[in-house]
Amino acid sequence: MLQIGRIISDRYQILEQIGSGGMSVVYRALDTNLQRDVTFKVLREEYAIDASFVARFGIEARSVASLNHPNIVKAYDAGEDEGIRYIVMEYVPGKTLKELIVERAPFKSEVMLGVVSQIAAALAHAHENGIIHKDVKPQNILVSPDGDVKVTDFGIADSKNAIKIVDADSTMGSVHYISPEIACNDPADARSDLYSLGITMYEMMTNQLPFDSGNADDIPKMHVEMPLPNIMKKNQEVLPLVREIITKLTNKYPHQRYQSANSLQNDIQRAILECGKYREYQKGSGEPKYLPPVDELPSSPPPKRRPDRGSKKPEDVKRERILLAGGIVVAVLVLTGIVFGAIALINLFSNGDDNGYVIPPTLEGRHVDEVRIEMDALGLYLEVAMEEYHEYLAQGYIIRSNVTVEGQLAVGTTIQVAVSLGEEGGERIEVPDITGLHISQAAQIVLDMPVYIVQRDPVFSETVQENHIVSQDPEPGTMVASGANIYIVYSMGAVQQLATVPNLQGMTETTARTSILSAGLNVGLITVEESETVQRGQVISQSIPPHQQRPLGTAIDFVISDGILEVQQTPEQPPAEQPPVTQPPADDEDEDEEVPPPPPADDDDEDDDDVPPPPTISSRGMSMTPVLTDGVSYNLTLARRLPNGTLSIVETRQMTSADLPWNVTVQGYGTMEFVLLINNLEVSSEEVNFD
């Protein structure tokens, strides 16, 4: 231990000990040069002469120094003084998450999600920079009094360029949060950190560790072999979506977890919204109807009927299978942050009343994946409680559910179903090897086979080309029942570089354009509207909040003020004439209303010198009649292609051939390209001239 008051390297004065770990002691110190408190981490004396520990201490210093994120503790300095090896880091006042769990857990879902969202953001940044933490646990997460969350202690992190420590015991981290693959001495990756985060979430919601034993040597084996205890038995207030997130994070098999922290963030944001809805429903006129467990229901099958697929023509089935191979564009948009706007679209599909209740779809005799999509749109959740053989229902089709009465269910309700494994002793199909193939190639291979391709969350990959399959489940050579699903994870290519969105508030249009382009982003749609507070020619708002991380080339829309609605002028200074500026119609106004062109600029208005005239926003009608199979419902999406090649969704509808033609009014300026997607697969594009 260092003596309080001692000064290291003629700069850092030790003030107090604030923590200790297996190989280091942590102090609060004063940086006498900058007069600020810092965290001063020192390698224990007994390890300072061990080359492996010195190397590992160096790994932490390099790992933290390579990261720059608001949710990761910053590294300021590292060095050695009279045999004392140290790292100087940002000092975060407050407590560790472990201390808060002991004091306050179980947390409310929205509180837990707010913390985890910040942890996931930190892990996403680390993973994108090639750093795997490998020791994610509440003790390594700091929470300030203001609620800011910081991840620390990268002492056993793996980096692409890091020295590898071969001592397995020294790299295992804390056994209560260890992932099954690390427990088995297999390589760790980003999904290993996500598993540990899932265990942390479980502890936050229950104030209990899911796997614990008096003998610490037994705990890694429990992570590998034992199922996660039912969280609902520990805390009945856990919302269904929160339970699903924790369950997916803590899956024993990495390929069945979230494949990235970014994909986890999508569900976290959705769950935060659901928390708000759930609180409103609790204040409503009633609670969700009671649904008995599915295994308590009679096992007698529903009225016999063959799956709808059996009545379709072979060419129709082939066409549907090819369309199942889509989803690339929408998935990429979700992972790049556009999901925050897309979540609001869920309300458009709700057929419930104003009290938060919806009518569940028909379940029995339908494929579980098809039903899940409909239920997600309604705000209901589907849980496969059991699987069993069935004499005529193909694999993946629902046999029965625990919906015992007709009528409405509260949004957020989880419905349990029993799903068919196919006919016992029936036809078995050998799963083909489609790993590494392009999605379209995989679709062609299974075209004449009684199996279906279903996509899971895509992932970034440094080794697998974009739109090629990274992994499949079941594995090649597995024998499955006729009608089974092959779940695939496809690549989105190498990890995208991120840029920080600038704060455009109050800038002129010229300055805002320069700031966007300087950040590595693209200028999107610029619109004009009056303001009660913002002077003419200055930015009122922007489509993506400032300081958020977005992929390079993302388009940022913003709104310019047309002037303050009421300007108080003195008699000596009469108000100057200002020409009206074209304002685009709001989405909820009559789309057919003609927008007058802007008047010529006033040459006498010196204020306009720095503000180029905004583009004229016009409306045009589009009529689309794609070829659809009669009686089959498709997801049609119209999107605008941005200058960087990405797509911005204009409108999405579920349609059949009977609903055609699809007439849509689009807005824009100049010449813009619009793309039609069917089941998320791009099928056609059209340029529209708004001049």
Side-chain angles (χ1 to χ4, degrees):
M1 291 181 58
L2 297 180
Q3 184 178 359
I4 302 302
R6 180 174 175 178
I7 297 179
I8 309 296
S9 296
D10 296 325
R11 178 172 181 177
Y12 303 108
Q13 183 179 16
I14 304 301
L15 300 180
E16 62 173 329
Q17 181 179 338
I18 57 176
S20 63
M23 71 174 190
S24 60
V25 181
V26 183
Y27 301 89
R28 180 172 67 91
L30 174 65
D31 182 342
T32 57
N33 286 1
L34 299 177
Q35 290 298 306
R36 66 180 178 186
D37 284 351
V38 295
T39 297
F40 196 81
K41 188 170 186 176
V42 179
L43 182 63
R44 290 183 182 273
E45 184 177 356
E46 58 267 34
Y47 299 134
I49 58 175
D50 188 316
S52 65
F53 282 97
V54 171
R56 186 139 58 94
F57 200 64
I59 289 173
E60 177 172 11
R62 289 190 294 273
S63 297
V64 180
S66 68
L67 302 175
N68 183 17
H69 191 275
N71 296 120
I72 295 177
V73 172
K74 295 181 177 66
Y76 295 145
D77 192 11
E80 185 268 340
D81 182 23
E82 297 181 353
I84 299 172
R85 297 184 181 273
Y86 61 84
I87 304 173
V88 183
M89 296 179 290
E90 173 187 9
Y91 175 70
V92 181
K95 298 181 178 181
T96 67
L97 180 57
K98 184 68 173 182
E99 292 172 323
L100 294 177
I101 289 174
V102 173
E103 293 176 5
R104 304 180 187 179
F107 296 154
K108 291 184 177 179
S109 293
E110 54 264 42
V111 174
M112 181 273 293
L113 291 167
V115 173
V116 171
S117 178
Q118 297 182 65
I119 300 171
L123 293 178
H125 179 74
H127 296 163
E128 288 160 1
N129 284 274
I131 303 294
I132 309 302
H133 191 290
K134 292 182 63 179
D135 198 15
V136 175
K137 59 183 179 181
Q139 294 90 329
N140 288 338
I141 297 164
L142 306 177
V143 183
S144 75
D146 296 330
D148 293 329
V149 177
K150 305 268 189 178
V151 177
T152 187
D153 201 345
F154 284 76
I156 60 174
D158 267 353
S159 169
K160 292 177 182 177
N161 301 315
I163 300 172
K164 299 300 181 182
I165 307 298
V166 297
D167 179 7
D169 292 336
S170 67
T171 61
M172 285 182 63
S174 298
V175 292
H176 289 102
Y177 307 91
I178 190 174
S179 68
E181 56 271 21
I182 296 181
C184 294
N185 293 328
D186 291 334
D189 59 20
R191 298 169 296 184
S192 308
D193 284 350
L194 297 182
Y195 178 92
S196 300
L197 180 56
I199 298 296
T200 299
M201 293 171 66
Y202 185 101
E203 185 180 9
M204 292 174 71
M205 295 305 296
T206 64
N207 199 14
Q208 295 182 26
L209 290 162
F211 304 115
D212 201 3
S213 171
N215 184 355
D217 293 337
D218 294 336
I219 299 176
K221 186 176 181 181
M222 297 169 71
H223 280 281
V224 175
E225 298 179 353
M226 293 182 60
L228 188 77
N230 188 342
I231 195 171
M232 299 302 294
K233 293 183 178 180
K234 309 289 184 181
N235 181 0
Q236 296 184 354
E237 297 298 319
V238 178
L239 301 186
L241 183 52
V242 172
R243 180 186 62 192
E244 290 181 14
I245 292 173
I246 294 174
T247 301
K248 186 172 182 178
L249 281 169
T250 55
N251 194 290
K252 305 297 182 186
Y253 302 99
H255 69 279
Q256 294 184 4
R257 299 176 202 150
Y258 289 97
Q259 298 302 293
S260 70
N262 285 325
S263 60
L264 167 62
Q265 280 283 43
N266 297 334
D267 276 359
I268 289 176
Q269 299 303 324
R270 176 184 167 199
I272 289 173
L273 292 178
E274 291 300 322
C275 284
K277 294 178 183 179
Y278 179 73
R279 302 302 171 203
E280 293 177 5
Y281 302 147
Q282 283 188 320
K283 297 176 183 178
S285 58
E287 294 293 327
K289 290 183 174 65
Y290 168 71
L291 296 177
V294 69
D295 54 5
E296 293 181 7
L297 296 178
S299 59
S300 57
K304 287 195 174 185
R305 60 174 178 174
R306 297 284 177 179
D308 295 340
R309 181 176 62 197
S311 61
K312 296 177 182 176
K313 299 177 181 179
E315 57 267 29
D316 296 340
V317 175
K318 289 184 180 181
R319 187 179 293 110
E320 288 185 60
R321 290 180 182 171
I322 293 176
L323 292 176
L324 281 171
I328 301 167
V329 176
V330 171
V332 173
L333 293 177
V334 167
L335 289 180
T336 55
I338 298 177
V339 67
F340 296 107
I343 289 175
L345 296 176
I346 293 175
N347 295 328
L348 298 177
F349 298 96
S350 174
N351 65 348
D353 58 23
D354 295 334
N355 293 324
Y357 286 83
V358 294
I359 300 174
T362 301
L363 303 175
E364 286 79 8
R366 300 180 61 197
H367 198 279
V368 64
D369 291 330
E370 177 186 2
V371 172
R372 194 187 301 276
I373 293 172
E374 293 184 19
M375 290 179 60
D376 282 346
L378 294 171
L380 301 173
Y381 303 105
L382 182 68
E383 177 182 330
V384 178
M386 59 192 310
E387 295 179 309
E388 57 189 59
Y389 292 106
H390 197 272
E391 61 178 320
Y392 63 84
L393 284 178
Q395 182 173 358
Y397 283 79
I398 296 174
I399 302 171
R400 60 184 181 279
S401 72
N402 60 346
V403 178
T404 57
V405 293
E406 295 184 357
Q408 298 178 338
L409 295 175
V411 175
T413 299
T414 296
I415 298 176
Q416 294 182 321
V417 296
V419 175
S420 172
L421 290 171
E423 183 179 359
E424 187 170 10
E427 181 185 6
R428 290 291 182 267
I429 308 299
E430 182 176 352
V431 175
D433 186 358
I434 56 176
T435 303
L437 299 180
H438 191 281
I439 293 177
S440 60
Q441 292 176 302
Q444 290 295 331
I445 288 177
V446 303
L447 199 58
D448 296 318
M449 300 177 63
V451 293
Y452 291 84
I453 291 180
V454 178
Q455 296 177 11
R456 285 180 169 156
D457 290 340
V459 297
F460 292 114
S461 174
E462 300 290 340
T463 57
V464 180
Q465 296 180 26
E466 185 177 3
N467 302 335
H468 286 66
I469 296 173
V470 177
S471 62
Q472 66 179 88
D473 181 25
E475 296 181 354
T478 304
M479 303 301 294
V480 297
S482 176
N485 291 329
I486 301 177
Y487 296 91
I488 65 168
V489 175
Y490 68 86
S491 169
M492 294 187 298
V495 175
Q496 300 181 42
Q497 291 184 310
L498 299 180
T500 301
V501 178
N503 185 358
L504 308 179
Q505 182 72 36
M507 291 184 180
T508 65
E509 180 180 341
T510 302
T511 306
R513 286 175 177 270
T514 302
S515 297
I516 291 173
L517 295 175
S518 298
L521 304 166
N522 282 341
V523 178
L525 193 64
I526 303 173
T527 53
V528 181
E529 64 182 43
E530 292 181 324
S531 169
E532 297 180 355
T533 57
V534 180
Q535 296 289 339
R536 184 169 186 261
Q538 296 180 350
V539 175
I540 301 173
S541 61
Q542 58 195 88
S543 58
I544 300 179
H547 312 305
Q548 292 198 9
Q549 299 286 307
R550 289 293 185 271
L552 291 176
T554 299
I556 311 295
D557 303 340
F558 59 90
V559 180
I560 293 286
S561 171
D562 187 27
I564 298 178
L565 291 173
E566 295 183 3
V567 181
Q568 299 296 329
Q569 301 282 354
T570 62
E572 292 76 19
Q573 294 180 327
E577 285 188 14
Q578 296 185 0
V581 181
T582 302
Q583 178 170 346
D587 292 340
D588 55 352
E589 295 179 356
D590 186 0
E591 295 179 335
D592 296 329
E593 183 179 347
E594 236 181 15
V595 181
D602 188 352
D603 294 334
D604 297 332
D605 191 348
E606 297 180 355
D607 292 339
D608 288 345
D609 290 346
D610 294 331
V611 184
T616 301
I617 308 299
S618 303
S619 299
R620 295 287 186 271
M622 294 186 67
S623 181
M624 292 163 287
T625 312
V627 177
L628 303 180
T629 302
D630 293 341
V632 178
S633 179
Y634 296 90
N635 183 51
L636 270 62
T637 300
L638 181 65
R640 174 167 58 94
R641 196 185 301 280
L642 302 177
N644 65 344
T646 60
L647 298 180
S648 176
I649 296 177
V650 176
E651 187 173 344
T652 298
R653 287 190 183 179
Q654 199 75 20
M655 305 181 73
T656 66
S657 59
D659 300 318
L660 299 177
W662 184 19
N663 298 313
V664 182
T665 300
V666 295
Q667 297 178 353
Y669 60 91
T671 300
M672 294 184 171
E673 182 184 4
F674 290 84
V675 178
L676 175 65
L677 302 98
I678 299 179
N679 286 3
N680 305 325
L681 185 66
E682 184 174 328
V683 295
S684 64
S685 64
E686 178 181 345
E687 287 192 348
V688 177
N689 187 355
F690 292 93
D691 294 335

